């Protein structure tokens, strides 16, 4: 067991200027020292589908690859869609056998080897997935999934129905955000409330995970909140009656940017102070996978060596359903340590 805090977990990173669309905001997480010694998620493919509660993945990369939490297959095949309820470390060029959960109570059949078209689980189902990880039961998520679909106003019990029903809305929603320079992650907010924290090892992996995270995971839940009448956060607006010159406009825009930074700082102050208890789950060479909890968050992380986290995923540990509001907020290395300094502060 390891004691830490989010300030330590995010050492070596810094926040960027928030992006907003409707009720959802992204505070970019940036670094100028990405970790490159890890394979892309796209290098993971289905090797064998031997049982409804088990899958075997092949890592086609020459490097260790992180199978992210919520890694899922939603297909048009006459086969059972599946999700990986816990992150895993996959050895380079090897086969990794993992516990999975089914996402289609009314569908049978096994998926074909070689499948690579993956997505990510809605963030509102993350806690349920972690609670069932490793239980060797294929139907563990069915009740949680049905409740999620019912809350979203989607009939049936298969998660793919949600994405079919809201495909146009989700495509329009994700188009409002974009990755920025040096971005490897984000703090995601719904209104004034933290909905999740996500960090990936490098720019390339963030770009391949960005759309599944923003669209399929957090965007899906933001859309449900909007459909249920969740109000938008207060946001700074330009008072056009006071704009007379370009200088007035520049000043008003500068004020908005300053307010955005102040908003991000208030979020940081609350999150970074959280004490974290981390439990070791897997070790592969110099990477270690942890489960972690704090007073208000639960998640997983992969640490490189003794002090730098290259992968994080966390959500509020007491997250209620989407018609309620969430919690609100007004070296051991040598001299060549690439992670020294750079505390996560604005």
């Amino acid at each position: 067991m390891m004691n830490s805090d989010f300030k330590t977990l995010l050492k070596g990173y810094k926040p960027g200027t928030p992006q907003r669309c409707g009720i959802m905001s992204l505070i970019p997480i940036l670094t100028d020292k990405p970790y490159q010694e890890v394979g892309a998620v796209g290098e993971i493919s289905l090797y064998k589908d031997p049982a409804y509660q088990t899958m075997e993945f092949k890592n086609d990369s020459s490097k260790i690859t992180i199978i992210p939490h919520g890694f899922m297959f939603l297909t048009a095949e006459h086969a059972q869609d599946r999700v990986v309820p816990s992150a895993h470390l996959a050895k380079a060029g090897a086969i990794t056998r993992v516990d999975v959960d089914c996402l289609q109570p009314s569908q049978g059949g096994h998926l074909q080897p070689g499948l690579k078209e993956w997505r990510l689980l809605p963030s509102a189902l993350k806690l349920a997935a972690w609670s069932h990880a490793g239980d060797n039961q294929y139907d563990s998520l069915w009740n949680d999934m049905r409740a999620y679909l019912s809350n979203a106003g989607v009939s049936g019990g298969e998660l793919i129905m949600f994405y079919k029903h809201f495909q146009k809305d989700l495509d329009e929603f994700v188009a409002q955000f974009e990755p920025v320079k040096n971005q490897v992650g984000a703090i995601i907010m719904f209104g004034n409330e933290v909905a999740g924290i996500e960090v990936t090892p490098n720019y390339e992996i963030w770009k391949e995970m960005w759309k599944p995270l923003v669209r399929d995971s957090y965007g899906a839940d933001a859309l449900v909140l909007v459909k249920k009448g969740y109000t938008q956060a207060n946001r700074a607006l330009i008072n056009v009656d006071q704009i007379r010159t370009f200088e007035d406009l520049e000043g008003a825009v500068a004020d908005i940017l300053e307010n955005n930074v102040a908003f991000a700082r208030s979020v940081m102050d609350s999150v970074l102070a959280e004490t974290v208890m981390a439990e070791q789950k897997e070790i592969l060479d110099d990477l270690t996978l942890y489960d972690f909890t704090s007073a208000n968050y639960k998640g997983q992380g992969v640490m490189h060596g003794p002090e730098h986290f290259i992968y994080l995923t966390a959500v509020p540990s007491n997250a209620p359903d989407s018609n309620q509001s969430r919690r609100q907020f007004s070296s051991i290395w040598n001299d060549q340590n690439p992670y020294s300094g750079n505390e996560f502060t604005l």
Side-chain angles (χ1 to χ4, degrees):
M1 192 72 72
M2 175 179 68
N3 291 332
S4 188
D5 54 37
F6 275 108
K7 191 170 186 178
T8 300
L9 268 57
L10 291 170
K11 183 178 180 181
Y13 302 102
K14 60 183 180 181
T17 302
Q19 299 179 16
R20 293 187 180 183
C21 176
I23 69 163
M24 185 162 142
S25 300
L26 298 182
I27 300 174
I29 294 176
L30 313 174
T31 183
D32 56 4
K33 298 173 183 176
Y35 181 73
Q36 300 292 356
E37 296 306 310
V38 64
V41 182
E43 298 285 354
I44 296 293
S45 63
L46 179 61
Y47 177 74
K48 190 182 292 185
D49 184 6
Y52 287 133
Q53 70 273 23
T54 305
M55 278 185 162
E56 295 180 2
F57 294 106
K58 186 171 188 288
N59 178 11
D60 294 318
S61 172
S62 61
K63 304 173 182 177
I64 294 172
T65 297
I66 300 168
I67 302 174
H69 170 262
F71 183 85
M72 68 179 181
F73 293 130
L74 300 180
T75 75
E77 294 184 29
H78 293 296
Q80 176 66 238
D81 290 342
R82 237 71 61 81
V83 64
V84 181
S86 170
H88 293 280
L89 299 174
K91 187 176 180 179
I95 308 303
T96 301
R97 188 181 180 96
V98 302
D99 170 71
V100 295
D101 292 322
C102 293
L103 298 174
Q104 290 183 290
S106 61
Q107 176 68 59
H110 294 275
L111 294 168
Q112 295 299 309
L115 189 60
K116 282 191 171 186
E117 297 177 4
W118 56 276
R119 300 167 81 163
L120 290 175
L121 192 70
S123 60
L125 290 172
K126 278 177 171 280
L127 293 175
W130 278 318
S131 71
H132 298 304
D135 66 4
N136 202 37
Q137 301 294 316
Y138 65 84
D139 59 353
S140 298
L141 272 180
W142 286 3
N143 288 336
D144 301 285
M145 188 171 57
R146 286 192 185 100
Y148 180 82
L149 292 170
S150 176
N151 189 48
V154 178
S155 59
E158 300 183 359
L159 192 59
I160 195 170
M161 295 176 177
F162 175 90
Y163 292 104
K164 288 180 177 179
H165 186 82
F166 291 117
Q167 179 176 343
K168 183 174 182 293
D169 302 81
L170 289 169
D171 288 342
E172 291 176 351
F173 181 81
V174 73
Q176 306 304 311
F177 296 95
E178 61 181 2
V180 299
K181 184 180 179 181
N182 291 349
Q183 186 172 4
V184 292
I187 294 175
I188 300 94
M189 305 193 68
F190 296 156
N192 293 329
E193 306 151 5
V194 173
I197 303 169
E198 302 287 341
V199 176
T200 66
N202 55 54
Y203 311 141
E204 294 76 21
I205 293 178
W206 173 250
K207 287 178 180 177
E208 69 171 341
M209 288 188 64
W210 171 81
K211 186 174 180 179
L213 279 170
V214 175
R215 181 190 187 277
D216 297 338
S217 188
Y218 292 97
D221 293 335
L223 183 61
V224 173
L225 289 167
V226 170
K227 297 293 184 183
K228 297 184 73 67
Y230 191 93
T231 57
Q232 297 185 16
N234 292 330
R235 53 169 60 187
L237 299 176
I238 294 177
N239 186 344
V240 294
D241 293 334
Q242 297 180 1
I243 304 299
R244 296 288 184 272
T245 66
F246 282 116
E247 288 75 15
D248 292 341
L249 181 59
E250 289 175 351
V253 171
D255 288 343
I256 289 176
L257 293 176
E258 184 177 343
N259 288 337
N260 281 345
V261 171
F263 168 71
R265 183 180 290 116
S266 68
V267 174
M268 295 302 98
D269 290 344
S270 181
V271 172
L272 297 181
E274 293 264 346
T275 299
V276 173
M277 297 290 292
E279 180 182 2
Q280 180 180 297
K281 302 298 290 186
E282 297 178 9
I283 298 179
L284 192 55
D285 293 345
D286 56 357
L287 298 182
T288 306
L289 172 67
Y290 289 93
D291 286 350
F292 63 81
T293 59
S294 71
N296 293 290
Y297 296 91
K298 180 176 177 62
Q300 291 185 292
V302 173
M303 187 167 66
H304 172 222
E307 61 183 12
H308 180 67
F309 277 85
I310 63 169
Y311 169 81
L312 285 173
T313 180
V315 293
S317 55
N318 57 347
D321 63 44
S322 58
N323 59 1
Q324 299 174 331
S325 62
R326 291 177 171 81
R327 179 169 176 253
Q328 295 194 13
F329 303 95
S330 315
S331 149
I332 299 175
W333 293 68
N334 57 29
D335 292 337
Q336 311 218 333
N337 172 15
Y339 313 121
S340 59
N342 292 336
E343 290 190 348
F344 195 82
T345 54
L346 284 167

